[in-house]
Amino acid sequence: MKVVIYSMVLMVMFSGRIKAQSDPMRVSADSSVMRLSMNDGKESQPAAFYTVLNEAGKPISVTDINGSVTLKIGIPVTVRSYFSRDTSFIVPDQPEFSVSLSPNVIDLEEVEVTSYTVEKLMTLAGRDFSSRYPTSPLLYHINAHSFIKDRKRFLEFYQMDGLALLSGNRNWSKWSFAPGGKPDAYFYLLPLEQRMSDRFGYDGEPIPYESYDESGGIRWVVMPFMSRPVYRGLEVCGPMFLKNHKYYEFAYSYDEETDEDYVVHFKTKERYRQEDAKNIFLIGEGNLVIDKTNLRITEVNFEFSQYHDVNFEIKREGRRKDVAGKIRMRFTGKDVFYPSELEFTCYYLGENWYSPREDPVGHGIERYEKLRFGPHTKDPLKEDMEQVVRSFDFVGMNSQAGYDSDFWRKDGHVPSTLYSEISRSLSTNISLEKQFRNNSGKRWKEWDSKRDTPQRVFPEAKDFDEGVERHENLIKEIREKRFRNVYDYLKMRKDESY
């Protein structure tokens, strides 16, 4: 049934108004403090944790809890929202200025929609998604690739084909997602095939997995697939689940709607943008794609301006991480909704979240990841799932998988134009193909005789070298004898999901 409705709030839009301030304290000679506020015509309040974009549309900063942010004078910036009109301007040469986002007066527009209000649609779709999302561990075939780049070039590339183990646990408690021990929630990856480039610094020279300063503090650490804890945050507080709808505002997007799908915009409500606000781990906005035939959520796009560590206590200092970006999830299935694709882009606004290089802000570091989920199984080995979890936790990304050029010619899954660009950038001194061969069978994290103690796992080992040997032999046994068969089985079924 369709009805015609008239509304002035179907698409809420804002415009920016810049106002100079007098006699504030200038942060530095070449910077200015912007005060961003929201004005709905009744009251004005700080626009907390909104992303500021540069001319290329990439995040360069985020407003704080008071709606303030320090920006370099003379640069073009944009404040963008699904719920507002883009507000673009040149940062003025003055110590402080204000930008007020206020409602536009728009013409009445006749819009033909279904009889569902957005609230009713989200209730139906959210209830359906909540009832169909996996609630028990599942083992998936997965193909995933990632790269890190600065403003000038690619710095590393990695791709794996193997297995992913997801817990299906949507409940949150502190440290429940931490590796080691017995985590209640997890998202493990185990490579069975891999191709790994060298890791390069800004000067084009190879760098190690991690680096320490003189005091022993970590300067950088190259951790793969950091989308996993962000996806965990989405599992706990995402707008696709009915219980989380209280945290969000929703609105139809009629200009993006198609004959097959509704598109609903969402954003975190202003009162939940506080750093210590309950167990909310992603703050920002985005959209949901909902199939019109069955009201099922098939895609979630979340542009986050804040990520809060999924393991930290609610009010712990340092819970907020200085990153912003996008995570897109696609889902498939009938009785159960399984993840089919995860795409993740992350920009560093500070160094408090696994910085992959020193000074990531100054060099415009960007992290990109794409994970494609294939067929799955509930009972991969007909054994105690606790043992499976323990094996995944023990091996992790350090499966020492080999490189097979014939395999990757068939199962690359990286767009040819992108791969060519990556190859050209990383092949300055040695070809990317040769890097793959040189890194075949290597661990992601190199052994460090000064910091690693593999002999603790094997008390019978006489020294570090014997501990490494025993450790690597066990990894090989787990990889080949325990998981190779189920991997081969799932790959045979890949046409069902790919």
Side-chain angles (χ1 to χ4, degrees), residues 133 167-170 231-238 240-241 244:
Y133 189 78
S167 65
N169 183 346
R170 303 203 301 265
Y231 177 56
R232 170 61 180 162
L234 192 66
E235 276 190 313
V236 176
C237 69
M240 56 279 198
F241 296 108
N244 297 329

Side-chain angles (χ1 to χ4, degrees), residues 77-268:
V77 298
T78 296
V79 179
R80 180 177 298 162
S81 169
Y82 285 106
F83 288 74
S84 73
R85 178 181 298 166
D86 291 358
T87 301
S88 302
F89 52 90
I90 304 294
V91 177
D93 186 2
Q94 54 196 47
E96 186 172 323
F97 67 101
S98 294
V99 175
S100 178
L101 304 177
S102 55
N104 276 338
V105 177
I106 60 176
D107 294 332
L108 291 174
E109 181 179 3
E110 182 177 294
V111 181
E112 187 176 358
V113 299
T114 69
S115 56
Y116 298 116
T117 64
V118 69
E119 292 80 11
K120 180 64 174 179
L121 175 64
M122 286 309 305
T123 296
L124 295 172
R127 181 181 294 133
D128 181 64
F129 191 93
S130 301
S131 67
R132 297 179 189 274
Y133 189 78
T135 57
S136 59
L138 292 175
L139 187 64
Y140 297 83
H141 170 233
I142 191 167
N143 184 287
H145 68 271
S146 68
F147 61 74
I148 290 175
K149 63 186 296 188
D150 63 10
R151 295 191 186 96
K152 298 179 180 179
R153 54 170 290 179
F154 290 87
L155 301 176
E156 66 181 68
F157 171 79
Y158 178 78
Q159 188 169 14
M160 61 154 286
D161 197 272
L163 299 172
L165 182 66
L166 279 67
S167 65
N169 183 346
R170 303 203 301 265
N171 298 318
W172 179 83
S173 60
K174 61 184 180 181
W175 299 107
S176 62
F177 196 70
K182 296 181 180 180
D184 297 319
Y186 42 81
F187 186 160
Y188 289 122
L189 297 176
L190 191 152
L192 275 296
E193 304 282 350
Q194 68 180 13
R195 52 180 178 176
M196 183 188 339
S197 77
D198 294 335
R199 308 180 189 103
F200 296 98
Y202 303 125
D203 59 1
E205 294 299 318
I207 63 170
Y209 166 81
E210 55 193 357
S211 176
Y212 299 86
D213 57 28
E214 294 179 355
S215 65
I218 294 180
R219 297 163 63 202
W220 78 71
V221 57
V222 184
M223 295 287 288
F225 299 117
M226 292 307 298
S227 55
R228 290 179 287 169
V230 177
Y231 177 56
R232 170 61 180 162
L234 192 66
E235 276 190 313
V236 176
C237 69
M240 56 279 198
F241 296 108
L242 183 62
K243 68 181 180 66
N244 297 329
H245 286 184
K246 59 187 176 184
Y247 302 136
Y248 299 95
E249 296 177 18
F250 296 102
Y252 274 116
S253 174
Y254 294 104
D255 58 339
E256 295 178 277
E257 182 178 329
T258 68
D259 291 339
E260 294 79 26
D261 300 307
Y262 298 114
V263 177
V264 174
H265 288 163
F266 64 84
K267 75 169 184 175
T268 310

